Every structure is written in C-alpha cells, then in structure tokens.
Amino acid sequence: MNFTPEQVIALAPDGKSVTAAKMLMKPAKWPLLGYDDEAVWGHCQGSGKKAYEVRIDLNGPAFKCSCPSRKFPCKHALALFLLHLEGNGVVPRQTAPLWVSEWIVQRQAVKTEKAQEKKEQAAAPEAIAKKQAKRLKTMLNGIGECERWLCDIVAGGLSEIEGRGYAVWDNAAARLVDAQMPGAAAMVTRMAGIMAAGSADRLARIAVLMGRLYLLLKAVTRFDELSAAQQADVRAAVGWPLEKDAVLSDGQTVQGTWAVVGASIRHNGKMREQRTWLQETVSHAVALILSFSYGNQLPETLLLPGTRIDAELAYYPGSVPLRALIKDQRSEPMPMDATHGRDTIADALGKHAQAVSLNPWIDIYPMVIADVIPLPSDGKLVFRDSDGRHLPVHPRFNALWECVALAGGRGLTIIGEWTDQALLPLACRHDDGYYPFSIEMAV
Amino acid sequence: MLESLGQKLLMGTRRAAPDLKGESTYMDALFNDIAKLPVSPEEQMLHQCALVGAFETAGYLPEAGRPEKEPAPAEVDNRQLCSPRAARVFETALKKPLLLIVRQWIDRASRQGRRPPFHLLPDLLRLATKIPAFRGETRAYIGPRGRWLAGANAKWRWILDDEAAPRLPDNTQWEEGSLDERSRYLAAIREKDPPKARELIQSVLSGESAKTRAAFIARLDADLSDEDEPFLEVLLDDRSVEVRRTAAILLSRLPASALAGRMFARMENCVSIEKKFLTRTLRIEPPEKMDAAMKRDGIMDSAAGDLGSRAAMFMRITAATPLSWWRNRWGLTPEEILKGARKSNWEAALVLGLAEAASTQHDSVWIKTLLNAELPGKIKLDPDRLIRSLPPDELTSWVIGSLAAERTFPLRYMLTEETDAGELHWSRQLTDAALDAVKAAVCRQASHWQLKNDINAMGSRIHPDRLGSALHGWPEDHLNWPYYAEHTHDFFEVVKLRLALYEELT
C-alpha cells in the first residue's frame, strides 16, 4: 500500500510528535537508512551514545523503535517514514539487515499463525450452528429480565424514576452487555442520557427508543421465524457482529468507482467509531465503512473524504444494505471531481422512510441533498431547498458559520447523516470545490 | 400522537390506561388490534411506543419556510482564490492564532489580488472582533462575502461601519457612558480634532469628580501643543492634587509655556557652571524651602527614595524643566553636564531628575546618554522606563546596538504587543543583529528560559528575506544545544510556515 505524508501525520499521537519528527528529518542524524518492498529501517542518532534502531513494516503499517518513548508511533518512526516518502534518494534501496528481516519474518509468522487458528475454528458448519444456538440462548436469558424491567418502568411511569439518576439505567445496560447484547445496552444508555439532559422533547424521544428496544427484544425472541435479511438487521441492531471473512466471501459484491463523500467520528471515552461514507459514481449506491479504534490505536482504513477509488466492495447482509467492506482496492486514491446522485429534501426523506419501514432500527441514514441554502436564525441553522422546504440541522453541528460562509446565500450540495430527526452535515460541495467538515462527537 | 404517548409514559400505566387515539382510521385500526392482544397494559403501551415510534421516525415531514425572511445572496468576489497551500498557511495562522502572520498573509494576498477560501472567513471575523486594532485591515481585505456574513451575524456588524467617511463617535457615549468609555471617546475626538477635545473637557470640568477630571486631562497628552497652554495653566489652580500634577507634567513638555519659564528661572537660581581651564564643574545650590508658586507648579518637598526633602525638591524641579534649557543656557552636551556634576553633593538628585525629564519628554539624546553613562553605584536609574520612552526608530537603533554588544535582553522591547500592531516585520538590520545575537547567546547561556522564549517569539517577526538563513547556522554541536532544540519548536515551525507563505504568495 502506498502512503502519503498526510496519512503519516494523521497517525501521530499528537502535534508535538509531528514537529519533533520534522526536526529529526536531517540526513545527518541517520547514520544508517534503507528500504525494500516490505520495510523501511534506519539508525537514528539521538542525544545518547547509542543510536536508536527504527523499523517500519509497510504491511500494516507497523512500527518498532528501540527508544524509551511511550508514544506510539514515536518521533523517530514518524521521521523515518516521512524521510522515506520524500523520495529523492535519501533512503536508499538495499538488502535488509538481519535485525530488520528477522522482525518482519516474526510478524509474518504471527499473522499466519492467527489466520490458521481462525480458519480452523470457523470451518465446520455444525460448529457454526452450535455457536449460534449458544449465543441465542445467552441473549434470550437476558431478554426476559430486560422485558420485566421495561414493564416496571412503564407501569410506574417515568416521573417515578426521574430523580433516581443513572443507577436505574446503568444496571439494566450492564445486564444487557452480560447477555451479549451491547447494541441493546447502548439504547438503554442513550435513554439515560436523554433523561439526564432534560430537554423539552425528552418524553417523546424516550417513547420512541423504548418502543424500538422492545421491538428488538421481541424480534430476538422470534429469531428463527425471521427472514435472513431481517435476522441480519436484528444482529446488527443488537450488536452481534458477523465475521469479516464471512462477509468478504459471501457478501453481495459491487464494483465501481467509489467517491469518499464524507466521514464522522463518534467516541465514548473508550472507543472511537469512524463512519466513512462512499458513493458509487455511476449507480449512486451508498456504502458505509465502519472502523473502530481504542486509545492510541491506528484506525483500520485510511480513506480521506474528497478522494475516490476503484474498488470492489462486499456488503453486510440486511434489508437495507449499507455497511460494507473493501474487498479489493484497484486504484490509488484520486481526487473526487463531482458529487453525483443528489436528491431534493423530499426525495431524501422518502428514501429514509423506505429504509426505516424495512429496518426499523436504522439510526443513522446517509443523505446527499442538492441545492440547499443554509439559513442561520438565532444561532441555529436550517437548510432550505428549491421547493422552499426546511430541514433542521443537528444541534451538535459545530461548523455553522463555515457552512453559511461557503454558501453565501446560494445553494450547496450537502452530504450528511440523518439522525435524531435532524441532518448532521459531513461535507458540502460549493463553487470552489468540495469541503469536508470535521465532525467528531462524544456520545 | 407522540406527545400524548409521552405524557402517558410519564404517568405510568398504573395511573393512566394506555388507550390511544390514532390520527387516522389506519392507525385506529392498529391500536384496536393492540388493545385486543392478550398482554399486560404495560406491554400494550410498549407496543404502542414501537408502532408510533416507527411511524414518527419514518414519517417526518419538513416544514415550509417563509421566503421573505431570507437575505439576498452575497455579491461575487472577483478576486482569484489563493492556492491550497496558501490556504493551509492562513488556516494554521488563524487557528493558533498568530496575529502577525495573519497580517503578513493578508498584506501579501491583497497585493496579489488573492482571496482566501470562504470557510476561513468566520475565523478571520472572530479574530478581528477580539482585536479592535486589527479591524481596519480586516475591513479593507475581507471582500463582499465577509460583508454579507457581517450582515447575518450581529457580532460582526462592525465590518459594515463606513471607514471612508469617518464620523465622530456617537454623542451618547460621552453623555451617558462610564468613565472608561468617555475617556476613550475623548481620545478619539483628540485624534481627529485636538482643540475640540480640549473644549469638551472645559465644558464639563466644573461638574466632574477629581478622578474624572484627572483622567480627562491626561488625554491631552496626545497632540499636545502650545494651544493647550492657557487651559493647562488655569488647571494649576485646581482643587485636586492629581489634576494639578497632571497639568504640570504636560506643561513641562511645552518649552514656550509660562510654567517652563518659571522652571527656567528656578534652575537659573540653583545652577551655575564654573569653568576652569578645560573642566566644567556644576555648582548646585537648591532652594532651602518650598514656596507657594513652586507648590502650584507641582513641585513637592516630600522625601523620595534615598533623597531627603531638599534633594527631592530639586530633583522634581529638574524633572519639570524642559531639557532644552541645558543646551540653550550653557551650550554643553549631556555628557558634559553629567561629568560636571560629578563632584556635587546634589549629583544624585540632578541625575534622577534628568532621567525623569528625559522619560516624560521622550528626549532620545538624553535617554541614550543616561543609559550609557557610568554612574556611581548609589545612583540607581530605571533603565526600563528610559528605554520604553524612546521613540520607535530610536528604540530599534538602540536595540540593534545592544545586540551587537552581545546583550540579548533588549530583544524583549521588540517583542511586545505594541510592535505587533505596527510594522509587519523587523528590518533586515534588526533581524541580522537579532539572529547573530541569539545564536551566540545559545553558546554562552545554558538552559536559559528567557532566551528560548525570545527565540520562539522572534519567529513571526524576522524579515522575510532572512527566513531561509534563520533555519541554519545554529550551534547544533554545542553542549547547550539539546535544551534549545527541544524548546524552540515554535520558532522553527513558524519560520517554515512563513516560508510557505512567501513561496505561495509571490
């Protein structure tokens, strides 16, 4: 895989590492440098006596440095990577010395070992069915308890628990996690947040979420009666993931030129969830690449909004196929030239209604809307389309004036996520080109 | 439907039965089906939640807007968009923020006829809103899109003030504002029409408190001229000490004033010069007691520092005398005066008085003489005050001279906020002197936190032609270097940022 300096900088743990790395990019500091098809390596002379040994595995990428820094990747690794990407012969092509080749071989061995293990485990269909049945059983055990809890609340009314704080909800959520239903637990946590925030429409929002949770629990109870697509929807909603290998081998594949139209990040303190939306330039099909990272870990995909790639995608199963994996990337990222498949507000809402009627647990739905004017009023924003209709903009959107400035009172194409009955803009197309907003929210 | 459902949820099924009316026969039919299910009332309600929830989620309908409430679109900006790299430089400078670099960028971009991408305009507007001194430049550069944005956001409305025909600030600020506001109003009037400011003060003087009067009189400091003299002379009889003092200080800067004349006479009585062959000796005989006239002119006889009351009195007389007297009366240079006072008992009082005069009168010849003079240890001048009283050009020359003499602490006079609001960058001469001095200072001083602060602050100010050479020539092999390498990232980052700026906007 080829990398760009921007991507390398994006891997850095903080801005200081980047500046420190840039200061290290002087050839004088590197008594040894080299690269081959799989790795880049070097000796970096720091302020100590012995030079640090720095290694980069281009498959990954992965880094190893002998310096005592706790940051990952450290400034030496970043500097080496950036030096290599500069080109102009600073890093010469060579045969890898032993301390590099040994490391690469070792990593390869660990990878193949893990892949072997997985294959052996997955193989037999009886094994699969057995696993499934076991999981269902655990989930069903938790469902009965959760249903009783829900009924208790409904019987006593929300007014009774209004003052009681998070404990009521936390316990229920924890039990759902124990019963291997993290998606359901997330719904409970969301309800807790809505109660605590105390907004005017909290009762309505909780009613909707309760209904949705109840529906999900009932659906799990009748799992075997559901169609394959509905089962996939339930699994996605409840947090019972499919194996990636299974999706890659069995999922419906779509080839084409995919434009990376927008991205958003949601984090809850422990985990970061990145949504990258792709749109196929001819068929206008939309795909969602979901990636997760924890703490300082590297994100799994490196797709920048505003680029496009030729690729074959494999979709996860479901009544409304959205989430996908990149099965085979066939080109380097190129700049995106236009935004296709644009709808009016009415059309976009229509597509959403259609989707929700098939999969009632859809929470975040993509929209690409043409020719809308952002209108500020009292610190809030709405979008108006050419039919004169308004769409509310999500209250957590933090680039209100940037969006208004780009439009200048004229129409923009907006790519966004429809969620919480509002549009969260992720990017827009305006007279000068394409501009992605930086959307990162705590949930 | 959702609202009533929410209300029932609030109360709970124990208190309210889950009967719901649909908004259509279709919904009614569904609710009837639910009611017939053999489940508890709680489960019935949960069924209703699921049904209504899905209905509301799918069935969202957008509102219709009112077109007459919308503003007209912005005018076209005919300037060409700057390059992406230039835009990144601008964005970095705005977000930190690095005000001087923003100003340098705008200066270059406006010469090239280039505009920034529109999504950076809100940040520019926010920055200029926070820093009033920067608003003029922003107003001139921002273009039609920026003015359109200002129309939509009250916080930025200042953009739309008409610079071309500056009207005097609104009268209400003078009539009803706080002391601070009224004082600033006065300052604005004084800038445009000095006599009017004086007349304004005159008109309200009798009704104001001492504190107010003193604050207003102080504003006459700007554009002080002989025209103000009659008014100030009258103020020497004011009730308030503060007012009299302020008036006296101002009058001491007007050599043609009556007060100056009185001071000349007093000095004439105290000081005489003895000429013996080539030496000049000052004979000083200060007055023994203070009289009413001296008191009126702002001279006090209270002891000051190490000086007794008589010496302090003489010091104050000296401080209030226009320095031109020394040249005009005796034909001697400042060095000769100081040398001549060496043997006098009143040397300390004289020197301190001369220093005070030099500061208030912004006399660069005297200031430099005093700074360079070799004075006996017991006379402690305040060099900082003297230096800050130098006019800007003199200050720069003085700093350059000091840097050449390997003293880097004067750099801080060139790193203040006032210098930020003035020239866009240092002269080549100052830049060269500063860079040479700090590179040498790194070798002399290990781990000096002030030095590394100064180096970091320099980055945005050095002359563009020297940016390339600023990256090199550092003593990287020196023992002291690792500390500075680690703590001067800001300097190198800013220099590289500015290099990109000048490369992209040529």
Side-chain angles (χ1 to χ4, degrees), chain B residues 393-425:
Chain B
D393 296 337
E394 299 277 354
L395 178 56
T396 310
S397 316
W398 185 84
V399 170
I400 292 176
S402 281
L403 289 170
E406 293 204 340
R407 289 181 269 153
T408 45
F409 85 90
L411 257 184
R412 60 188 159 99
Y413 296 115
M414 311 280 18
L415 295 170
T416 59
E417 274 176 23
E418 287 84 46
T419 54
D420 263 3
E423 299 292 314
L424 285 175
H425 49 73

Side-chain angles (χ1 to χ4, degrees), chain A residues 277-292:
Chain A
W277 296 97
L278 307 183
Q279 189 183 40
E280 211 284 311
T281 49
V282 173
S283 63
H284 308 159
V286 176
L288 166 66
I289 310 285
L290 208 54
S291 63
F292 303 91

Side-chain angles (χ1 to χ4, degrees), chain A residues 14-344:
Chain A
D14 54 34
K16 276 204 150 179
S17 296
V18 178
T19 31
K22 287 187 179 171
M23 302 257 332
L24 284 175
M25 282 170 70
K26 301 184 179 126
K29 295 203 172 291
W30 294 88
L32 175 71
L33 282 170
Y35 82 97
D36 66 13
D37 287 330
E38 294 175 321
V40 185
W41 61 88
H43 280 167
C44 183
Q45 187 62 47
S47 44
K49 275 201 219 153
K50 202 157 180 282
Y52 296 127
E53 296 182 346
V54 196
R55 285 157 273 204
I56 302 177
D57 183 345
L58 290 169
N59 254 321
F63 311 94
K64 189 169 160 99
C65 177
S66 61
C67 73
S69 163
R70 295 237 181 93
K71 292 199 180 165
F72 190 79
C74 66
K75 57 184 179 180
H76 309 105
L78 287 169
L80 178 60
F81 213 168
L82 288 169
L83 265 179
H84 172 60
L85 289 176
E86 254 185 7
N88 47 27
V90 170
V91 183
R93 186 173 251 283
Q94 292 184 335
T95 356
L98 215 58
W99 55 278
V100 176
S101 52
E102 272 180 352
W103 179 62
I104 298 284
V105 166
Q106 196 187 36
R107 279 180 51 82
Q108 225 2 73
V110 170
K111 264 197 198 161
T112 27
E113 222 182 276
K114 280 197 173 159
Q116 258 315 99
E117 261 180 42
K118 270 188 149 178
K119 271 199 175 154
E120 282 165 7
Q121 280 179 351
E126 308 102 51
I128 296 177
K130 211 171 157 194
K131 247 179 131 187
Q132 183 155 316
K134 187 171 175 214
R135 174 106 185 208
L136 265 175
K137 187 149 177 260
T138 318
M139 285 163 60
L140 287 168
N141 283 340
I143 284 176
E145 192 181 337
C146 188
E147 279 186 12
R148 280 191 292 282
W149 173 78
L150 271 175
C151 287
D152 262 346
I153 294 186
V154 171
L158 288 175
S159 55
E160 264 185 21
I161 53 170
E162 197 138 23
R164 283 211 252 151
Y166 277 114
V168 174
W169 309 91
D170 266 356
N171 285 334
R175 300 302 259 269
L176 286 167
V177 170
D178 289 340
Q180 295 193 292
M181 292 188 281
M187 284 191 203
V188 173
T189 312
R190 247 179 101 187
M191 283 192 261
I194 294 174
M195 268 318 263
S199 64
D201 60 353
R202 71 193 185 289
L203 297 172
R205 289 169 71 190
I206 292 192
V208 171
L209 275 175
M210 271 198 176
R212 216 181 272 169
L213 176 61
Y214 184 67
L215 182 63
L216 183 61
L217 298 176
K218 282 286 183 234
V220 176
T221 328
R222 295 165 58 186
F223 194 76
D224 298 322
E225 300 168 41
L226 302 174
S227 71
Q230 288 169 326
Q231 284 184 344
D233 293 340
V234 169
R235 281 187 65 159
V238 102
W240 179 4
L242 280 159
E243 295 286 336
K244 277 198 174 154
D245 291 332
V247 176
L248 285 171
S249 55
D250 305 333
Q252 187 194 18
T253 56
V254 180
Q255 283 185 42
T257 304
W258 297 88
V260 186
V261 292
S264 64
I265 297 179
R266 288 168 172 81
H267 57 87
N268 67 359
K270 288 176 264 186
M271 180 186 75
R272 284 162 89 240
E273 192 181 70
Q274 174 164 331
R275 274 179 179 73
T276 309
W277 296 97
L278 307 183
Q279 189 183 40
E280 211 284 311
T281 49
V282 173
S283 63
H284 308 159
V286 176
L288 166 66
I289 310 285
L290 208 54
S291 63
F292 303 91
S293 56
Y294 302 82
N296 273 342
Q297 216 182 36
L298 303 171
E300 275 181 28
T301 49
L302 297 164
L303 293 168
L304 287 173
T307 58
R308 65 188 153 97
I309 52 171
D310 289 330
E312 186 182 9
L313 266 52
Y315 276 90
Y316 278 69
S319 341
V320 183
L322 270 183
R323 188 177 173 194
L325 294 169
I326 298 184
K327 187 165 179 176
D328 182 20
Q329 187 171 335
R330 293 180 184 161
S331 80
E332 294 306 315
M334 298 165 281
M336 206 170 86
D337 50 5
T339 309
H340 312 269
R342 309 177 307 155
D343 297 319
T344 60

Side-chain angles (χ1 to χ4, degrees), chain B residues 159-345:
Chain B
I159 286 264
L160 300 171
D161 290 344
D162 192 0
E163 185 102 51
R167 40 182 185 79
L168 290 175
D170 192 354
N171 217 15
T172 43
Q173 194 178 347
W174 175 247
E175 300 288 324
E176 296 166 23
S178 67
L179 174 56
D180 212 39
E181 288 168 359
R182 296 171 79 196
S183 182
R184 274 185 276 137
Y185 176 84
L186 256 186
I189 301 275
R190 182 73 174 173
E191 223 183 285
K192 295 185 184 118
D193 188 352
K196 178 146 193 252
R198 192 180 59 241
E199 287 156 27
L200 254 178
I201 304 177
Q202 225 161 350
S203 64
V204 296
L205 211 54
S206 49
E208 302 287 354
S209 71
K211 185 172 167 206
T212 312
R213 294 202 303 277
F216 286 173
I217 307 295
R219 287 299 185 183
L220 294 175
D221 179 78
D223 285 304
L224 185 69
S225 74
D226 288 326
E227 277 187 28
D228 300 312
E229 202 235 330
F231 179 47
L232 289 171
E233 178 73 29
V234 169
L235 285 173
L236 290 175
D237 294 315
D238 192 280
R239 304 189 304 275
S240 152
V241 166
E242 193 58 39
V243 171
R244 295 200 299 270
R245 248 186 75 77
T246 315
I249 291 174
L250 288 171
L251 282 169
S252 76
R253 284 168 47 193
L254 295 169
S257 66
L259 180 141
R262 293 194 289 276
M263 293 296 178
F264 293 149
R266 290 184 188 109
M267 289 304 279
E268 192 71 49
N269 285 340
C270 309
V271 176
S272 58
I273 308 270
E274 237 177 51
K275 291 183 197 176
K276 226 182 198 176
F277 308 115
L278 291 167
T279 54
R280 310 267 180 279
T281 316
L282 249 68
R283 292 248 172 269
I284 303 176
E285 193 66 46
E288 306 253 342
K289 277 208 185 85
M290 200 166 71
D291 60 31
M294 280 200 266
K295 195 167 175 205
R296 182 172 178 268
D297 283 343
I299 310 291
M300 295 188 292
D301 63 356
S302 51
D306 287 334
L307 303 174
S309 78
R310 194 175 168 203
M313 202 164 63
F314 177 61
M315 177 196 75
R316 292 187 184 103
I317 296 175
T318 312
T321 309
L323 289 163
S324 54
W325 181 78
W326 296 94
R327 186 192 346 113
N328 294 342
R329 176 67 181 82
W330 304 108
L332 294 174
T333 65
E335 286 89 354
E336 290 170 333
I337 305 281
L338 289 177
K339 198 166 167 210
R342 211 49 81 65
K343 299 217 186 90
S344 169
N345 287 342

